[in-house]
Amino acid sequence: MAVSNDELMEELAEMNFHILQGIGDVKDTLDQQQHVWKRAENVAKHFDVSLGTVKSWKRRGLITGYKHDKIVIYDVLVIERDLFQIEN
């Protein structure tokens, strides 16, 4: 069975599309799994603000703290994305 160059190129282009789509799906999954958890004191140091500022952000609902055992931790990457609109 003979196959033309056009048919081969079309098949390769379709395979390439599916591969790139799969890579994008993997990247999205990895991006969703990244977290950098820090206590309020370390969040303040990370953003070079006072501890009072971090507490103010929390009171105003700008950031969300999560309890881990008896310690409240914050996801720095979420704060960067939501509060400062920084894309990784």
Side-chain angles (χ1 to χ4, degrees):
M1 179 173 135
V3 179
S4 71
N5 281 345
D6 289 339
E7 291 171 325
L8 282 174
M9 292 303 288
E10 185 177 319
E11 185 67 28
L12 286 172
E14 187 174 331
M15 288 172 56
N16 189 37
F17 171 78
H18 290 294
I19 289 169
L20 291 175
Q21 191 174 29
I23 290 171
D25 292 344
V26 169
K27 184 182 181 309
D28 290 345
T29 300
L30 290 174
D31 287 346
Q32 291 172 1
Q33 293 176 353
Q34 289 182 340
H35 298 282
V36 177
W37 299 104
K38 293 187 178 196
R39 296 175 61 173
E41 299 85 9
N42 294 327
V43 170
K45 287 179 189 174
H46 180 86
F47 293 109
D48 195 25
V49 297
S50 70
L51 179 58
T53 299
V54 174
K55 290 180 179 181
S56 171
W57 291 344
K58 183 179 179 201
R59 273 194 315 274
R60 292 173 23 205
L62 299 175
I63 63 174
T64 303
Y66 301 92
K67 281 207 174 191
H68 178 69
D69 294 330
K70 294 182 180 182
I71 300 169
V72 178
I73 56 176
Y74 302 86
D75 188 344
V76 173
L77 295 181
V78 170
I79 294 170
E80 286 176 346
R81 184 190 67 224
D82 294 346
L83 195 58
F84 294 100
Q85 299 178 352
I86 298 172
E87 291 295 323
N88 293 331

